[in-house]
Amino acid sequence: MSDLAHSDTIFALSSGAPPAAIAIIRVSGPQAGAALVALTGSLPASRRARYRVLRDRAGAVLDQALVLWFPGPATATGEDLAEFHLHGGRAVVAAVEAELAALPKLRRATPGEFTRRAFANGQIDLAEAEGLADLLSAETELQRRSALAMAGGAFSRQVEQWRDRVLTASASVEAVLDFGDEDDVADLPANFQAGLSALRDELGEWLSRPRAEALREGYRVVLAGPPNAGKSTLFNALVEDEAAITSPLAGTTRDVLTRAVAIGGVPFLFGDTAGLRDETGDVIEAIGIARARDALDRADLVLWLGPEGEGPDGAWEIAAQADVFHVEQKAAPRHRVSAVTGEGVNALRLDLVETARDAMPRPGEAALNARQHALVAEAERALMAAGHERDPLLVAEALRLARVAFDALIGRATTEDMLDALFGRFCIGK
């Protein structure tokens, strides 16, 4: 974000889309106070809601509203901040936004710009901003609690502690470089390597945890088997919707059909695939089969509805047509179900929920996303190198690389492209 853009005062609707009972327009920047004066005639007492009549430049009434004034820097964005709590009709919101847009040095906010300013002004760090983005998109209780832990700074505080320990280790190495034998690290404190080893173990524990993507994207469950095995019927029963077309004709499903649902507060992404068979004269069906095999490779769990023992490794054997007597039944299926009568479907759902819970972060536990996981892994590798080196200069450099990774985790070292991608996930008013 350019310095010029950052000096602008921005505004946006920060509540849900109208019509609604209340609409909140937020204004942030050096002209926030002037905007309040322009529409209400005076600046209210700070941090106290006040009733005001809002008027346009010609003196016509726009609305009767509550207004709040938050002088910076102790605000959500670190800047002067104003809020207009309006009646939530579309015409009211549009009229007030138009009046704000006409004021000098005010403009509409871009997606995520309020939060980006909070980051730029040191109100939140990068890990907290990522957690806030996940919190805004959370649809299940597990997603909410994990995102809240990250947005609340749990992971940031952990990173700061790791960084402090690396700084302490670096100070010991610098002391050797300044006053000791520069050719080896024998003069380091006796507990130096033990401290690095303990820190590496902590990083390894975080790296072994379930990732945030499992929460955000859902636990991937793919139904697979030959044509007419009952995959689409069971898929519809699991997602409780007639999402997939069912037919006695082989090859009805031509592509991977996915549906995101929450069961017991756990996010799932179910996939219905084309029937698997070795030969087909239908070019479109062949493409569907290839996509089905790709979906199997990316699945967290495969429900195998085909011949017993012929599914992928780790797949659950499912006898899916328990109500059809002429269908050969499996000798030892994990679940025997009938999507038509409902037999066994609830038991399958409960089993899926328990399995998915074990594969996901524990409730309220901060989970690493792909970027964070890669940086923690970088820090772990740097600490491993520091533990193996004998030259104190190389040890010092390895510790510096670990600090760089920790700095990147919380945003002390970032790129504009990465920030653009992150804050572009936010809505306009956030």
Side-chain angles (χ1 to χ4, degrees), residues 314-328:
W316 287 6
E317 295 284 358
I318 305 296
Q321 296 172 317
D323 58 307
V324 181
F325 297 106
H326 68 269
V327 173
E328 182 178 350

Side-chain angles (χ1 to χ4, degrees), residues 77-99:
T77 60
E79 305 174 326
D80 287 349
L81 193 71
E83 289 184 356
F84 297 87
H85 293 229
L86 316 168
H87 291 93
R90 290 189 180 91
V92 174
V93 172
V96 174
E97 286 185 328
E99 195 63 25

Side-chain angles (χ1 to χ4, degrees), residues 195-219:
L196 290 187
S197 179
L199 181 51
R200 286 198 307 270
D201 289 344
E202 284 186 34
L203 299 185
E205 191 276 327
W206 275 80
L207 291 171
S208 68
R209 291 183 181 185
R211 297 268 293 277
E213 286 76 17
L215 276 176
R216 186 181 306 125
E217 299 168 7
Y219 189 73

Side-chain angles (χ1 to χ4, degrees), residues 172-374:
S172 297
V173 177
E174 292 299 326
V176 168
L177 289 172
D178 288 341
F179 306 110
D181 182 354
E182 296 188 6
D183 292 327
D184 93 38
V185 294
D187 294 332
L188 286 169
N191 63 350
F192 180 83
Q193 290 297 343
L196 290 187
S197 179
L199 181 51
R200 286 198 307 270
D201 289 344
E202 284 186 34
L203 299 185
E205 191 276 327
W206 275 80
L207 291 171
S208 68
R209 291 183 181 185
R211 297 268 293 277
E213 286 76 17
L215 276 176
R216 186 181 306 125
E217 299 168 7
Y219 189 73
R220 292 176 176 267
V221 179
V222 173
L223 286 73
N228 286 348
K231 299 183 298 298
S232 295
T233 304
L234 180 57
F235 175 85
N236 289 344
L238 289 171
V239 303
E240 297 185 320
D241 188 16
E242 296 299 315
I245 298 173
T246 59
S247 166
L249 298 176
T252 299
T253 301
R254 299 299 188 96
D255 204 349
V256 179
L257 177 64
T258 60
R259 181 60 60 88
V261 298
I263 305 176
V266 177
F268 285 90
L269 184 65
F270 286 100
D272 182 26
T273 60
L276 299 176
R277 49 183 170 179
D278 294 332
E279 296 182 5
T280 175
D282 188 322
V283 175
I284 302 300
E285 185 184 4
I287 294 173
I289 291 173
R291 291 181 178 179
R293 296 190 188 281
D294 180 63
L296 295 184
D297 292 338
R298 293 184 290 109
D300 296 310
L301 175 66
V302 174
L303 303 185
W304 179 248
L305 280 67
E308 196 162 10
E310 295 183 14
D313 291 341
W316 287 6
E317 295 284 358
I318 305 296
Q321 296 172 317
D323 58 307
V324 181
F325 297 106
H326 68 269
V327 173
E328 182 178 350
Q329 295 298 323
K330 299 185 179 186
R334 180 158 180 149
H335 289 277
R336 194 179 303 278
V337 301
S338 168
V340 175
T341 66
E343 176 189 344
V345 174
N346 284 337
L348 173 57
R349 283 201 189 98
L350 290 173
D351 199 359
L352 287 170
V353 168
E354 291 303 313
T355 301
R357 283 189 190 279
D358 290 340
M360 289 189 170
R362 292 189 295 271
E365 179 181 80
L368 302 181
N369 61 30
R371 184 192 75 87
Q372 294 160 349
H373 191 276

Side-chain angles (χ1 to χ4, degrees), residues 410-427:
I410 53 180
R412 286 196 177 102
T414 58
T415 66
E416 286 298 308
D417 288 344
M418 188 273 289
L419 293 177
D420 288 343
L422 168 62
F423 293 111
R425 292 174 55 195
F426 288 76
C427 58

Side-chain angles (χ1 to χ4, degrees), residues 14 17 30 51 53 55 79 98 104-105 121-122 125 142 145 243 262 281 289 308 337 349 369-370 382 411 413 415 429:
S14 292
Y51 167 81
V53 176
R55 298 181 184 274
E79 305 174 326
K105 299 183 180 179
N121 292 325
D125 64 35
L142 279 178
R145 293 177 67 178
I289 291 173
E308 196 162 10
V337 301
R349 283 201 189 98
N369 61 30
T415 66

